[in-house]
Amino acid sequence: MTAREITGHHAVTTAHGTTAQHRPVGSHTPTSGGLAKAALPYADAAGSQVVQVYVSNSRGWALPAGDPAQDTRFRDGCGERGLPVFIHASLLVNLGSPTANTVERSAETLAHALRRGRAIGAEGVVFHAGSAVDAGHAEAALRQVRETLLPLLDEAAASDGPRLLVEPSAGGGRSLASRVEQLGPYLDAVDRHPWLGVCFDTCHAWAAGHDLAAEGGMTATLDTLVATVGAGRLRLVHANDSKDLCGSTRDRHENIGKGTIGEPAFAELMAHPATAGIPVVVETPTEKHVGHAADIATLKRLHP
Ligand SMILES: [Zn+2]
């Protein structure tokens, strides 16, 4: 028996028979040309243990129906490989927008992603926390979050569908949540609904001013995250290094260990109890799958 044998969803049994919480590592995965046709070979080539995909254009509002044959092949292929699946919603989604039409389209986009998520067996749909854009719109923005999310969360929970996962942003533009402490009011806005999870992005947290590069900085930030959102709320990690300085509010991802955050912070990430059993996805620069394969290999090496 090998030292690490996958026995359950994200758990492993060691040679000594003890169960440890495995952190599956994978990447954002391209789907153009067909969900199964494109994503499965990519995941294999990159060494992925988890897959994240878009189900609509990342910078558009069109909501494609999906191809049932590709959906089935993709769901079965991920099942055979033991890959958990996550959807990243369009980057245009902003539930805090002062423009009513944007809020409406954002709600439709999330509903579509949840439907597509059920079809392809996804565990979660990630969306950015959003921003109020205008001074004075912050309070109304959190009300919009409540009004939009509660019905979606209730329906997803009732149908045992994918969870919605809010991802704090890089900051700036009157973000509703960029620092992890701001997730408190965000969760409160939906009465801490059990179907709203959190996706923690290292590059965003760094851009928002969390000093992850300091020794113990990643650990302290994750401690604060757990203290704010409670146990079991963190469902996904986006592991990205950064091209910019701490507090820059700029969101330019870099390969793991090649940027301003640096490899030691990612070792803290992979060892923190809050990430035990939680999938880790890279969204880093890549030529075909090569950059992702290297980053996945680095994170696997840093896994305790
Ligand atoms: Zn991200």
Side-chain angles (χ1 to χ4, degrees):
M1 172 165 144
T2 55
R4 290 198 156 163
E5 184 176 298
I6 294 176
T7 57
H9 206 164
H10 313 152
V12 291
T13 301
T14 65
H16 307 291
T18 53
T19 301
Q21 286 291 302
H22 178 52
R23 297 154 177 84
V25 183
S27 77
H28 190 85
T29 304
T31 58
S32 69
L35 186 57
K37 200 173 165 201
L40 292 175
Y42 189 97
D44 289 341
S48 295
Q49 299 165 321
V50 49
V51 169
Q52 174 180 283
V53 293
Y54 288 123
V55 290
S56 62
N57 188 308
S58 64
R59 301 190 185 274
W61 291 118
L63 301 174
D67 172 346
Q70 285 291 311
D71 287 356
T72 304
R73 267 188 59 203
F74 177 78
R75 200 176 54 230
D76 292 350
C78 289
E80 283 158 16
R81 292 164 175 79
L83 304 175
V85 175
F86 292 85
I87 289 172
H88 200 306
S90 165
L91 302 174
L92 298 184
V93 166
N94 182 9
L95 300 180
S97 172
T99 308
N101 186 246
T102 302
V103 180
E104 209 171 292
R105 285 179 141 176
S106 296
E108 286 163 7
T109 300
L110 292 182
H112 167 263
L114 287 166
R115 270 198 311 278
R116 297 289 298 123
R118 272 196 294 276
I120 67 172
E123 284 186 24
V125 170
V126 183
F127 67 100
H128 290 172
S131 75
V133 184
D134 296 338
H137 190 66
E139 213 176 295
L142 277 183
R143 232 176 9 249
Q144 289 168 197
V145 166
R146 177 183 179 81
E147 284 161 12
T148 313
L149 284 186
L150 278 180
L152 292 171
L153 290 165
D154 283 343
E155 199 198 323
S159 62
D160 201 26
R163 287 167 194 271
L164 282 169
L165 308 181
V166 59
E167 176 177 359
S169 52
R174 305 184 191 277
S175 306
L176 299 185
S178 53
R179 291 196 55 96
V180 297
E181 298 88 340
Q182 291 177 291
L183 286 168
Y186 204 98
L187 287 169
D188 289 343
V190 293
D191 306 329
R192 305 236 159 198
H193 197 290
W195 228 250
L196 182 61
V198 168
C199 171
F200 174 72
D201 186 306
T202 56
C203 181
H204 294 181
W206 170 252
H210 292 286
D211 188 358
L212 307 177
E215 193 181 343
M218 180 72 82
T219 304
T221 302
L222 289 167
D223 289 347
T224 305
L225 173 71
V226 174
T228 304
V229 306
R233 194 70 76 167
L234 178 66
R235 294 274 167 172
L236 182 65
V237 171
H238 285 166
N240 299 305
D241 213 325
S242 170
K243 291 187 198 290
D244 298 288
L245 297 177
C246 181
S248 68
T249 74
R250 299 194 69 186
D251 186 22
R252 295 189 305 157
H253 298 182
E254 183 53 282
N255 295 102
I256 305 297
K258 302 285 196 315
T260 47
I261 297 176
E263 195 175 291
F266 290 96
E268 289 184 23
L269 174 80
M270 297 303 285
H272 196 283
T275 64
I278 304 302
V280 176
V281 166
V282 301
E283 305 170 313
T284 46
T286 192
E287 283 284 334
K288 299 216 165 97
H289 64 276
V290 176
H292 285 166
D295 287 338
I296 289 166
T298 300
L299 291 169
K300 286 179 181 172
R301 172 168 58 75
L302 295 174
H303 195 297

